[in-house]
């Protein structure tokens, strides 16, 4: 089930907004049950502390289910993306990163009928 999580600087922002509490609680449940998680075009910003905590808490023991899809043509860009994800999840395999961009990646997905 696709699920979007709104960004938040820290957990305090979640405590002040009941709807965000509900959304983040549902996100946590979905991530804990997920068999695979695709980060498409998400830069994993270091300033989004709440998201980093959520992802580390729910996926940190299962980093093998993560796939990162982003666009990067330069090795330095690829290294930056990889580094931000590995700060949260630890070492990830090369095969877990797709740097051709979301459009190319999506166009190669099998069609589900």
């Amino acid at each position: 089930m696709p699920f979007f999580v709104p960004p938040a600087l820290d957990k305090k922002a979640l405590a002040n907004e009941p709807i965000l509490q509900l959304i983040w609680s549902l996100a946590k449940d979905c991530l804990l049950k997920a068999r695979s998680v695709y980060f498409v075009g998400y830069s994993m910003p270091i300033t989004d502390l709440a998201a980093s905590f959520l992802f580390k808490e729910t996926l940190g023991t299962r980093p093998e289910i993560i796939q990162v899809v982003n666009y990067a043509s330069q090795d330095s860009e690829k290294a930056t993306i990889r580094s931000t994800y590995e700060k949260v999840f630890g070492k990830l395999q090369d095969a877990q990163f797709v740097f051709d961009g979301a459009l190319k990646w999506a166009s190669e997905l099998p069609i589900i009928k």
Side-chain angles (χ1 to χ4, degrees), residues 17-111:
E17 297 294 334
I19 189 66
L20 288 181
Q21 287 178 347
L22 175 63
I23 291 171
W24 279 70
S25 176
L26 291 171
K28 183 176 180 179
D29 290 343
C30 286
L31 289 167
L32 286 169
K33 295 174 187 172
R35 293 185 306 222
S36 57
V37 176
Y38 296 87
F39 290 92
V40 180
Y42 183 63
S43 63
M44 190 67 76
I46 58 171
T47 56
D48 196 346
L49 303 175
S52 293
F53 180 79
L54 172 71
F55 297 139
K56 188 172 197 160
E57 183 179 46
T58 57
L59 303 171
T61 61
R62 306 175 299 139
E64 68 279 357
I65 72 168
I66 295 167
Q67 180 82 39
V68 178
V69 179
N70 216 316
Y71 180 76
S73 59
Q74 304 290 324
D75 287 343
S76 61
E77 295 170 314
K78 293 175 185 178
T80 298
I81 293 167
R82 182 181 201 101
S83 173
T84 59
Y85 277 87
E86 290 184 340
K87 284 178 185 166
V88 175
F89 299 116
K91 181 74 173 137
L92 298 172
Q93 302 299 312
D94 289 342
Q96 291 178 264
F97 291 89
V98 174
F99 292 114
D100 295 332
L103 183 60
K104 184 174 186 312
W105 172 78
S107 70
E108 295 173 356
L109 291 174
I111 297 175

